[in-house]
Amino acid sequence: MTNQHQTTQLKELDALHHLHPFSDHTSLRAGGARVIVRGDGPYVWDSEGNRILDGMAGLWTANIGHSRRELAEAAYAQMLELPFYNTFFRTTHPPVVALSRKLAELAPDNLNQVFFGSSGSESNDTAIRLIRHYWVLKGEPKRRIIISRKSAYHGSTIAAASMSGMAHMHAHSYPLYEGFRHIMDPCWYGEGKDGESLADFGLRAARALEDEILAVGPENVAAFAAEPVQGAGGVKIPPETYWPEVQRIVDKYGILLLADEVITGFGRIGTWFASQHYGIRPHIITFAKAVTSGYIPLSGVIVDDEIVAALLAHDDDFHHGYTFSGHPVACAVALKNLEIMEEERLVPRVNEFTGPALAEVLAKFKDHPLVGEVRSIGLLGAIELVADKRTRRRFADPGRVGLICRDHFFREGFVMRAVFDTMVTSPPLIWTQEQFDEAEAAIGRALDLTLSDVAGEIAA
Ligand code: PXG
């Protein structure tokens, strides 16, 4: 804990020297950043001593909660044994071997080899190169187009940002990296027509993939890339009809399927990977974040046997790699994290307790005057804030009301993130009834306070 003087100084120095990601720097300078000094289990503390329930698990990361000693000890022991060695020149080391084997065991059956990086963006860049390289090796170099979706978030490097759908991100990196197309999101609340059933909407959203494949020419399409549940785009949960239809289309045109499981991997929706929940057969899974519960950077790409076979059929290098591919300390921490998740049955517990508990909390607010819809799957949840519940009409100036609500959440000692006017949550997998009760109380108060701020804008 720091005193008031130190807090002020930290905020000043932060404003002077630290350029924050994804931030409006003018308002950040004016208001100063909140200084987070400590974490423990489901809570973090700020420098003024406020305890905050972390409804975002850090940033969709801390599945086992904050500050577990076992992970610190795993890092410490590995640093004393072998803090770093590369995996480039026919060298390997025990932690990377053990983690690769573990991930192959947890992933769908056909995915058995892992390429490592340090961030989700890197893993998607790796996947993009691998996909295009694969088609060259198969003698179909024209297959370069990767289709993804409008609210996709795949990262901030240039290739991953180009594969992402968010127009505001594209604006910062014109010209975009070539070869990406974006189709509609499978989120009924945003895109469904009045009277259209969820099932019909799911099929329509999936068939947008087929339309796009036909529009650009199937012979030019390399892959479809998608988060099984869209996270940063606003926890957009596809209807049950969506993924089977996408799988049918992927199979029909023989394109690759890239499942970006950077958020959904490692238990978030009740299976190790969300691909297993939806019964889809990706050729590539990208992962990051919760593989170490965010304690240390680590990411990777788990690769289908067929792609590996194509690499093996050509005795040439895949010219791609990062200094920290398979970093021994990160791998040791990941192994301990996965061991804890298994020992504490955190993944089945999402189906047995935490997932239903989150759904129950959110359902309490579906009749609130500000709330258009609540939805969740496993431990991913969302609350849509709207001006008119009946027509799904949103507030003017998207994002404004979301920020008001987010600030009320913070003052109530609870973190939820605002994606424009959609409030999203991604709690750690360790929550007990006590944390769900706290979240419920905080959400109730924050929604009421937000409502009183915008009451004049709500449809009667
Ligand atoms: N794929 C997905 C699905 C992600 O959610 C990335 C890739 C990129 O990972 P890295 O490690 O390069 O950041 C992400 C990251 C937010 C937010 O505000 C979400 C992410 C990152 C930063 C902020 O919701 N997701």
Side-chain angles (χ1 to χ4, degrees):
M1 215 91 32
T2 58
N3 63 31
Q4 189 55 44
H5 174 66
Q6 283 170 315
T7 297
T8 308
Q9 197 179 41
L10 278 169
K11 287 186 186 205
E12 277 170 15
L13 289 173
D14 183 78
L16 285 176
H17 300 298
H18 176 199
L19 207 51
H20 289 242
F22 278 97
S23 299
D24 165 352
H25 294 103
T26 318
S27 68
L28 186 59
R29 261 206 186 200
R34 189 163 194 155
V35 184
I36 304 297
V37 292
R38 190 163 76 84
D40 187 14
Y43 302 103
V44 292
W45 280 260
D46 69 14
S47 56
E48 282 144 66
N50 299 302
R51 190 185 81 163
I52 302 156
L53 178 62
D54 184 6
M56 284 305 296
L59 197 52
W60 325 82
T61 50
N63 285 13
I64 65 163
H66 297 285
S67 306
R68 290 283 299 251
R69 174 169 292 274
E70 301 95 310
L71 265 58
E73 285 169 353
Y76 182 74
Q78 186 59 44
M79 280 194 189
L80 291 178
E81 184 70 21
L82 179 71
F84 177 71
Y85 202 75
N86 76 74
T87 53
F88 276 52
F89 310 115
R90 296 198 175 192
T91 47
T92 192
H93 52 72
V96 78
V97 175
L99 182 61
S100 303
R101 176 166 180 246
K102 186 71 199 168
L103 291 169
E105 177 196 314
L106 298 177
D109 286 349
N110 55 315
L111 304 182
N112 288 302
Q113 271 186 266
V114 190
F115 187 102
F116 289 98
S118 303
S119 71
S121 304
E122 282 179 7
S123 68
N124 281 317
D125 273 35
T126 298
I128 292 163
R129 294 193 81 177
L130 200 54
I131 286 166
R132 290 182 171 171
H133 186 53
Y134 169 80
W135 285 117
V136 170
L137 293 177
K138 297 297 274 187
E140 294 194 61
K142 275 179 65 187
R143 284 193 185 262
R144 288 183 62 77
I145 291 177
I146 299 177
I147 300 171
S148 68
R149 297 174 300 181
K150 291 206 164 77
S151 297
Y153 186 65
H154 297 298
S156 269
T157 48
I158 290 180
S162 303
M163 188 159 81
S164 301
M166 297 167 174
H168 50 284
M169 285 182 63
H170 292 169
H172 290 335
S173 55
Y174 274 123
L176 295 181
Y177 191 50
E178 50 76 37
F180 296 96
R181 297 286 187 284
H182 301 95
I183 60 170
M184 67 186 285
D185 301 317
C187 179
W188 185 91
Y189 198 78
E191 310 237 9
K193 295 177 185 157
D194 287 334
E196 185 178 30
S197 73
L198 259 182
D200 286 349
F201 169 73
L203 292 176
R204 177 163 70 87
R207 286 173 192 157
L209 173 61
E210 185 156 32
D211 294 345
E212 193 64 27
I213 292 173
L214 294 173
V216 299
E219 70 284 4
N220 298 314
V221 180
F224 177 54
E227 303 149 75
V229 178
Q230 286 169 300
V235 179
K236 294 187 164 158
I237 305 168
E240 288 300 321
T241 48
Y242 181 77
W243 275 113
E245 184 65 2
V246 166
Q247 184 71 58
R248 183 191 69 76
I249 295 164
V250 163
D251 292 345
K252 178 173 170 189
Y253 295 96
I255 63 174
L256 299 180
L257 177 60
L258 158 55
D260 179 342
E261 299 237 24
V262 166
I263 282 180
T264 52
F266 307 104
R268 186 137 293 282
I269 71 164
T271 41
W272 281 100
F273 294 95
S275 296
Q276 292 151 333
H277 170 91
Y278 287 111
I280 50 177
R281 298 184 302 282
H283 299 89
I284 292 179
I285 285 179
T286 50
F287 66 89
K289 293 188 184 278
V291 65
T292 61
S293 279
Y295 282 52
I296 194 164
L298 181 69
S299 73
V301 178
I302 320 180
V303 185
D304 176 69
D305 297 338
E306 199 183 308
I307 297 177
V308 175
L311 290 174
L312 291 174
H314 297 261
D315 54 356
D316 189 13
D317 281 12
F318 175 43
H319 298 284
H320 181 80
Y322 310 106
T323 301
F324 292 145
S325 286
H327 193 289
V329 178
C331 291
V333 171
L335 281 163
K336 184 52 80 177
N337 176 57
L338 298 176
E339 189 184 309
I340 290 174
M341 290 189 71
E342 283 185 325
E343 269 172 25
E344 299 182 4
R345 299 186 66 258
L346 293 180
V347 182
R349 198 168 165 271
V350 173
N351 302 308
E352 293 158 10
F353 170 63
T354 45
L358 178 65
E360 202 176 302
V361 167
L362 295 176
K364 301 232 161 102
F365 301 102
K366 70 181 184 351
D367 296 326
H368 191 280
L370 255 187
V371 174
E373 178 184 80
V374 297
R375 56 177 178 266
S376 68
I377 181 164
L379 284 180
L380 285 173
I383 303 175
E384 295 281 2
L385 307 181
V386 285
D388 188 340
K389 280 173 90 77
R390 278 166 305 145
T391 62
R392 289 184 271 162
R393 181 168 58 80
R394 298 193 175 271
F395 289 101
D397 192 9
R400 177 178 51 93
V401 178
L403 285 189
I404 294 173
C405 186
R406 187 189 70 182
D407 288 347
H408 283 307
F409 274 128
F410 242 122
R411 283 190 286 269
E412 293 300 324
F414 180 48
V415 178
M416 260 176 97
R417 158 149 160 50
V419 178
F420 296 103
D421 296 330
T422 308
M423 306 307 298
V424 302
T425 182
S426 156
L429 276 53
I430 52 158
W431 273 18
T432 63
Q433 192 57 47
E434 191 183 337
Q435 281 82 43
F436 286 105
D437 291 344
E438 277 177 41
E440 183 182 327
I443 293 171
R445 288 192 300 268
L447 287 179
D448 287 347
L449 289 165
T450 309
L451 178 60
S452 60
D453 290 342
V454 299
E457 302 175 49
I458 299 276

